[in-house]
Amino acid sequence: MNETSASGENLLFLTDEQLRKGIEAMFFAYRGFTADPDRILSELAYGRAHHRAVHFINRSPGLTVNALLSVLGVTKQSLNRVLRTLIEDGLVESRVGRKDRRERQLFLTEKGAELERRLSEAQRARMRTAYRTAGPQAVAGFRQVLEAMMDEQIRAQYLSLKEVRS
Amino acid sequence: MNETSASGENLLFLTDEQLRKGIEAMFFAYRGFTADPDRILSELAYGRAHHRAVHFINRSPGLTVNALLSVLGVTKQSLNRVLRTLIEDGLVESRVGRKDRRERQLFLTEKGAELERRLSEAQRARMRTAYRTAGPQAVAGFRQVLEAMMDEQIRAQYLSLKEVRS
DNA sequence: CTTGGAAAGTCAACAAGACTGACATAAAAT
DNA sequence: ATTTTATGTCAGTCTTGTTGACTTTCCAAG
């Protein structure tokens, strides 16, 4: 009822109005975040699902289909359609697993890596600009809040990949 | 190649790897951000599109269809399907515009407001927890980066609603 | 060694929600 | 009177999610 009740301490300053603004900021920012890759993808008759698959295959070459659909949070049937077109178009290579031959290991081809670079460069450019505009301290806060917003298991997954691979 | 090259200044610290982590943080956090409302919506055979419509009608009662589809960034055909079900189900009321009788002004019914509260409370709860975990300074940075990530016109739209309505 | 799950992946069919295009109606503007 | 604007609707397409049913491969218990 009293909006100014938290104005002194500034630690418990979470009015519903401020939370609502945060919610809308997420919504609008996410739209900006996906806008540039979306434009590139639509030229090629691909969608966001293709982008995500290519992104994570690039990040972890050789990961299995199961690992990929787990990180993407979709069903294997849904992923499979996307994956099939990427393989048909020669962007992704699917090799039979070395140890377990039921598994398929996924890799980007040179052509796939090229698309990945194009997409992620567009996305990074926007992120870079936003980071520079907001400044280093803001970036740290940005990451902290986003991490706190993730589901538990997802956050663990995310944090476990925080280190750069050699 | 050398990761520590930016460790001194900490102003131009934007390695591709750090940008990639930011991109993934957005992806995973957005999933968390929508997870709670999605669960509620699926019980009711609604989707995210319904949530967004209800959210913005609640924020700006009496806004026109045109204004709504502009803020949502979808076509009228797409919005219309969602809006029709919300009106049929008695969550949204569409009144002929007072000044311009071509326009329809949109309002939540009590039932609609109830769903809005349920959805936004779930979302606010997560946001509140994330904010408290990260702290006030992080929250400020979070908002700064998100604002910088929006498209120009969207940001203007967003900022113009920054003030609390009476 | 065989057989009977279990696990990984694929195929088929369906649904939500986005899109475009065409058209209808009513009201406002010229 | 004519044109423009705001809204709604119908039809059809696309992406990307879903479930269900199937094949191939592995492993473990008898």
Side-chain angles (χ1 to χ4, degrees), chain A residues 24 31 55 59 72, chain B residues 24 31 55 59 72 126:
Chain A
E24 292 189 9
R31 233 168 47 193
H55 173 97
R59 186 186 74 170
L72 291 176
Chain B
E24 292 189 8
R31 235 173 38 200
H55 173 96
R59 185 186 75 170
L72 291 175
R126 183 183 289 253

Side-chain angles (χ1 to χ4, degrees), chain A residues 115-135:
Chain A
L115 175 62
E116 195 284 329
R117 278 192 295 273
R118 204 177 148 207
L119 291 171
S120 71
E121 188 39 54
Q123 204 156 39
R124 276 200 304 269
R126 184 183 289 252
M127 180 90 35
R128 200 180 290 122
T129 303
Y131 275 15
R132 288 211 173 112
T133 303

